[in-house]
Amino acid sequence: MLPSRPPKLPVSTLSLTHSSFTFFSSLFSSNPKPKPLPMRSSLSLLRSLTLSLSHHHYHPTHRFPRPISGFPLAVAAKSRRVLALPSSSTFVEHLSGEASQPGENWDLSNVAQGEAFDLDKCFSSADLKHLAVPELEVPELEDLPEQWRRSKLAWLCKELPAHKAGTLSRILNAQKKWMRQEDATYVAVHCMRIRENDVGFRVYKWMMQQHWYRFDFALATKLADYMGKERKFSKCRDIFDDIINQGRVPGESTFHILVVAYLSASVQGCLEEACGIYNRMIQLGGYQPRLSLHNSLFKALVSKPGTSSKHYLKQAEFIFHNLVTTGLEIHKDIYSGLIWLHSCQDTIDKERMTSLRKEMQQAGIEVGRDVLVSILRACSKEGDVEEAESTWLKLLQLDVGLPYQAYVYKMEAYSKVGEPRRSLEIFREMQEQLGSANAVAYHKVIEVLCKAQEVELAESLMTDFINTGLKTFMPSYIDLMNMYFNLGSHEKLESAFFQCLERCRPSRTIYSIYLDSLVKVGNLDKAEEIFDQMQSNGPTGINARSCNTILSGYLSSGDYVKAEKIFDLMCQKKYDVDSPLMEKIDYVLSLSRKVVKRPVSLKLSKEQREVLVGMLLGGLQIESDEDRKNHMIRFEFSENSSTHSLLRRHMYDQYHEWLHPSCKTSESTDDIPYKFSTISHSYLGFYADQFWPKGRQVIPKLIHRWLTPCALAYWYMYGGHRTSSGDILLKIKGNEEGVEKIVRALKAKSLDCKVKRKGRYFWIGFLGSNSTWFWKLVEPYILDDLKHLLKGGQISDNSAVETENINFGSGSDTDENASDHTDNDNNL
């Protein structure tokens, strides 16, 4: 039975040796368990604890001038103790890296056009000890006038760290009759002193719910800083928002630490949050960030993987502007990175790039290989051959070796001015100088030759490319097929199509080109077969282009019945019909229908409803307006998960007619965003009321009726995980009653499972042979391209970390009334 109040007699408390407090010098070292010492009174123990802390870790530069009210003035003046921020900067040093060495250069030898910009460790470490923080004063325990209060506080300081969130809340609730602001503050500060910062955070959140709570800026600042230093950015941000909501401006240290906490996390969206906090630090707080913070954020921007770095140009320019206006030293890599970001843009600002180069020269910084490669890249996009040749000569003069990107950019520059043969000569020169060519170079030279319709040369290079043993042939096959289509060589196009299917994963683009060619030559039977394959294949799918293609074929051949079916499908999917076809389809419909049928109402099909249930169980979110009349579904997929990468394409096509116009991509690109949402619609109110009432995720009372094999399959694909031992785990957020209903419904399907609670989530596990039965049930509804991923091995890069410590043989990790804030609560 849980204790409801402390014992009347003094209790023994945990004693900590002097070495237990050396954590201030190494904030992220391991957390050893304290060793019990012989019993002593709680009063003398806490006196020695506080004196030891203040003696060994007192920093005059970190005083916080704000006494705790409620204590007698004489006592407060006599016995105040200051809890100061440690001067250790280990956390920021870990992110920023060591100081750069003179003459250090970026190595661009492994950076392709579609890869991340690699910024080596070249930024100086940050030092937090000079950041101003408010003074937090707490009284000595022995100076409290009441003996019973001292005993109860000592008991709480010992008892709370030993319990989990739910039990901790119940213990605190049992003390409501006598606890006040100063008592709770003392307990929270004590927890921070012994490095139980999560317990201190829970005490702080409990304080906020009490009628006597008064906002304490110093306590909030101190706790936020400790949470941020432990990289728990979600809890740090929670307290940060509390400070803002109180009409106060967070301290410089809180801004700084929160930005670094976001930068150190790999969770999707953290970089955007870091940029937002950095901007508010300057615009709202009026602070001047430290040089290390500017550099760390800039490094994160240019190190973003893929082509996404180019979207951060404005933020990078803002950081550069702040460095200039505050008079801080600008490292050469800042100049180089900013020029590189400009070279990534679709529209090149040559004037800005030129001015940055001039500033580099005025600062005495030599233009290195990385800058010259960026300039060459800009020349390739504009076809400026003269500037490209000038930059090429400068690269040769550096005598540091030419990276393969330089050859690729030079080839592209000559292709823009209509000299494909010259591009081929550069490619051959690259093979001679570097010994071989990589896949990026083959892609570029084949693309150049295909656009110039140099058939024999393109085919010869494609053969060489295949014989090299390199991979990623898809871009080159697309270029070849486009060339054959433009030349009217259907047989060669068909041959390239089937070769591509043998060597590459199916792609909507190659299917669309092949479909265009089949319709062009009048082979509608084969075209219909290919269209059906696209429609049934999740990762490939159909789009407006493929529908218009097959529609034009049916209209040209006079097959009006099939043309009407395709038109109805396009109306359902809200695909636009090409203008030349619209007049023909209107005429066809007028012959068979008195009124032209143009569906305008949106309804979910049976499959869409089942899929939506599974996705909502897996964590899909629904947002409602203030009146809860219209509702929007937000699809969000992890960039680090190969499963999510494939699933997002299917979901984008599955709910295409529901998507918001701002989320729809052009037909010329296959780049589907990782985040998109539907329009706000009243039809979605049923799902909002069942799964997200009052804006919080719950498990519906009638969930047992909706657990179809299709729903389970999409729950598995979106929020599931297969362990290395073959067990299948499903993640869900809700209450125990809802989880029990799911378990009973699964058992009714002869699926035995076990449940484990971890933090705010439940994990439903199908262990041993039960995982085999579960797979047999859902396999028909699993996307074809995902079956090999889901059937054997881990399916999610993120869930592997979450599930590695789950043991279904033990009890829950959290009590039923656990706080929403868990130890691993770093979710946006």
Side-chain angles (χ1 to χ4, degrees), residues 17 143 321 350 432 457 511 521 523 586 707 730 737 753 824:
T17 63
D143 292 324
H321 170 76
K350 295 191 70 173
E432 294 177 2
L457 291 175
Y511 268 94
V521 299
N523 191 349
D586 282 344
L707 286 181
L730 299 179
E737 182 182 358
C753 58
N824 297 316

Side-chain angles (χ1 to χ4, degrees), residues 601-602 629-632 658 679-685:
S601 61
L602 284 172
K629 291 184 178 180
N630 295 310
H631 314 272
M632 172 190 296
W658 287 88
I679 58 174
S680 293
H681 202 282
S682 59
Y683 186 86
L684 302 173

Side-chain angles (χ1 to χ4, degrees), residues 302-553:
V302 298
S303 301
K304 191 72 174 174
T307 58
S308 55
S309 287
K310 68 179 184 180
H311 302 300
Y312 296 99
L313 177 61
K314 289 184 178 180
Q315 184 66 42
E317 285 282 10
F318 183 62
I319 296 173
F320 182 82
H321 170 76
N322 292 325
L323 287 169
V324 173
T325 55
T326 54
L328 295 174
E329 179 185 0
I330 303 178
H331 195 277
K332 64 176 182 178
D333 295 323
I334 298 292
Y335 284 111
S336 302
L338 195 54
I339 292 174
W340 182 82
L341 283 176
H342 273 284
S343 73
C344 294
Q345 305 305 307
D346 297 329
T347 303
I348 304 297
D349 188 349
K350 295 191 70 173
E351 293 183 2
R352 179 57 177 157
M353 294 181 67
T354 302
S355 67
L356 288 171
R357 291 168 61 188
K358 290 182 179 178
E359 290 182 29
M360 288 183 68
Q361 294 172 354
Q362 292 173 359
I365 300 176
E366 182 181 355
V367 176
R369 187 182 73 166
D370 46 355
V371 175
L372 294 176
V373 171
S374 298
I375 296 171
L376 196 58
R377 181 179 193 176
C379 294
S380 70
K381 292 187 175 183
E382 296 192 336
D384 191 345
V385 175
E386 183 178 350
E387 180 69 18
E389 286 290 354
S390 175
T391 306
W392 183 267
L393 292 176
K394 293 177 182 178
L395 279 169
L396 293 175
Q397 292 172 359
L398 290 178
D399 196 23
V400 293
L402 291 173
Y404 72 85
Q405 295 97 326
Y407 290 97
V408 173
Y409 298 150
K410 191 177 179 183
M411 282 189 285
E412 185 175 1
Y414 275 98
S415 71
K416 290 289 179 66
V417 296
E419 297 187 28
R421 299 272 180 163
R422 176 66 179 129
S423 298
L424 179 59
E425 292 176 5
I426 297 170
F427 176 78
R428 297 302 186 191
E429 181 183 345
M430 175 186 181
Q431 289 180 313
E432 294 177 2
Q433 296 295 328
L434 301 182
S436 63
N438 60 7
V440 176
Y442 271 106
H443 292 163
K444 178 54 63 177
V445 70
I446 292 174
E447 175 191 346
V448 170
L449 294 174
C450 287
K451 287 182 178 179
Q453 296 186 353
E454 297 280 356
V455 179
E456 293 183 0
L457 291 175
E459 291 176 343
S460 174
L461 280 172
M462 188 65 192
T463 303
D464 294 342
F465 186 19
I466 295 172
N467 293 334
T468 59
L470 297 172
K471 297 183 179 180
T472 63
F473 303 121
M474 179 65 72
S476 297
Y477 273 116
I478 292 174
D479 292 328
L480 280 174
M481 291 176 66
N482 278 322
M483 178 183 67
Y484 293 143
F485 180 81
N486 294 329
L487 294 174
S489 302
H490 175 72
E491 293 181 357
K492 288 188 174 182
L493 186 149
E494 188 173 46
S495 176
F497 172 76
F498 288 111
Q499 288 181 31
C500 182
L501 292 183
E502 292 177 1
R503 296 185 173 93
C504 308
R505 179 176 294 173
S507 164
R508 175 188 291 175
T509 303
I510 64 166
Y511 268 94
S512 297
I513 298 173
Y514 184 43
L515 182 66
D516 291 341
S517 182
L518 289 171
V519 172
K520 185 178 180 180
V521 299
N523 191 349
L524 291 183
D525 292 337
K526 186 65 175 179
E528 184 177 351
E529 180 184 340
I530 293 298
F531 184 83
D532 291 340
Q533 288 182 20
M534 295 176 66
Q535 192 171 7
S536 61
N537 191 334
T540 304
I542 58 174
N543 58 2
R545 173 186 172 181
S546 55
C547 288
N548 276 294
T549 300
I550 196 70
L551 178 63
S552 66

Side-chain angles (χ1 to χ4, degrees), residues 604 609 612-617 620-624 628 631 633 682-707 732-735 738-739 741-742:
L604 291 171
R609 293 196 297 270
L612 187 56
V613 169
M615 296 291 288
L616 288 168
L617 289 173
L620 202 66
Q621 296 185 10
I622 298 181
E623 293 185 1
S624 306
R628 290 192 64 81
H631 314 272
I633 299 176
S682 59
Y683 186 86
L684 302 173
F686 171 79
Y687 299 94
D689 294 338
Q690 294 294 326
F691 289 90
W692 284 84
K694 300 180 181 180
R696 295 181 66 87
Q697 184 180 1
V698 299
I699 300 175
K701 294 182 179 179
L702 300 177
I703 188 61
H704 57 283
R705 298 183 181 179
W706 308 327
L707 286 181
I732 190 170
K733 183 179 179 182
N735 54 29
V739 174
K741 290 182 179 180
I742 293 177

Side-chain angles (χ1 to χ4, degrees), residues 760-795:
R760 293 185 295 170
Y761 297 93
F762 290 90
W763 288 90
I764 299 176
F766 300 92
L767 313 181
S769 61
N770 291 308
S771 64
T772 303
W773 289 112
F774 178 85
W775 175 253
K776 289 182 178 180
L777 179 67
V778 301
E779 184 179 12
Y781 302 93
I782 299 292
L783 301 183
D784 291 338
D785 277 11
L786 291 181
K787 287 183 178 179
H788 69 285
L789 288 174
L790 305 186
K791 190 173 183 179
Q794 297 177 356
I795 70 167

Side-chain angles (χ1 to χ4, degrees), residues 176-215:
K176 283 184 177 180
K177 292 184 179 180
W178 64 270
M179 279 199 80
R180 55 187 183 178
Q181 174 99 7
E182 294 75 16
D183 302 325
T185 300
Y186 182 88
V187 174
V189 170
H190 172 79
C191 292
M192 285 188 280
R193 284 173 172 169
I194 63 173
R195 202 166 43 168
E196 293 287 350
N197 296 320
D198 287 315
V199 179
F201 177 80
R202 295 188 180 105
V203 174
Y204 168 79
K205 300 303 290 187
W206 179 85
M207 288 172 60
M208 294 180 63
Q209 302 171 6
Q210 309 311 310
H211 65 88
W212 41 254
Y213 173 72
R214 303 182 308 278
F215 178 71

